[in-house]
Structure formats: structure tokens, C-alpha cells
Amino acid sequence: MVGGVTCGIISALISAPITAYLGGVTGSGTDILVAAFQKAGSDLQTAVLQQGLLSDPIDKTITYFIVFLLLQTLPRRFVARFPQGEKTTGLESA
């Protein structure tokens, strides 16, 4: 969970200036949040940053969790092919 939140915050900080430079509209569902923050009085740069800080950590945390679950379902024989594969997925024997 910490990894997802950290990745989300970093991605929001990096993507906000780029998105604002492109006009703040990316064609995603989160454009509604940008519009709401602008309607509440934020300038474009701040609205895009607020949207990113709100939605990106949640998005990345969910994505990390799904990948973790998928890795847990891989067969042990397949995971054993990769260096430290069993350690990464928590399948290593004690």
C-alpha cells in the first residue's frame, strides 16, 4: 500500500505540469475533478495537481494490489524460473 501511495504522489507531481501545459484536459474521467476544482476557484495548474494527488494514489494502490494478487496465483514452477521470484511473491520456504 505504501508503494502505491508513494508512486501515486510522485506521478501526480510529475504529470501535473505536463497536463496543465496541454490545457488540463486529457480525455479521462478525472477531467471532471479538474473542472470541479477550477469551478471551486483553483487555477488550472493547481486544479490539475489537486486531481492528481486525489486520484493517482488510489489508482496506483489498486493497481499494485491487483498485480500482487495476480503474482500470487502464478504456479510455483513458473515463479521459480525467475531470480528471487519466490521471494518476491512470498512463496519462499522458511
Side-chain angles (χ1 to χ4, degrees), residues 3-77:
V5 172
T6 304
C7 181
I9 291 171
I10 291 170
S11 65
L13 294 173
I14 292 171
S15 68
I18 297 167
T19 304
Y21 176 75
L22 296 174
V25 179
T26 60
S28 67
T30 57
D31 289 343
I32 294 172
L33 291 173
V34 174
F37 287 132
Q38 283 186 299
K39 188 73 171 169
S42 297
D43 61 73
L44 179 61
Q45 176 72 28
T46 305
V48 171
L49 180 61
Q50 289 171 323
Q51 172 271 317
L53 290 174
L54 180 66
S55 65
D56 284 356
I58 296 168
D59 172 53
K60 302 302 184 254
T61 301
I62 292 170
T63 303
Y64 275 39
F65 185 68
I66 291 171
V67 169
F68 176 76
L69 290 177
L70 289 173
L71 289 174
Q72 294 297 315
T73 64
L74 291 174
R76 286 185 77 111
R77 279 183 28 200

Side-chain angles (χ1 to χ4, degrees), residues 79-92:
V79 174
R81 294 180 184 181
F82 299 94
Q84 299 184 4
E86 291 181 348
K87 182 178 179 181
T88 303
T89 58
L91 294 174
E92 70 180 335

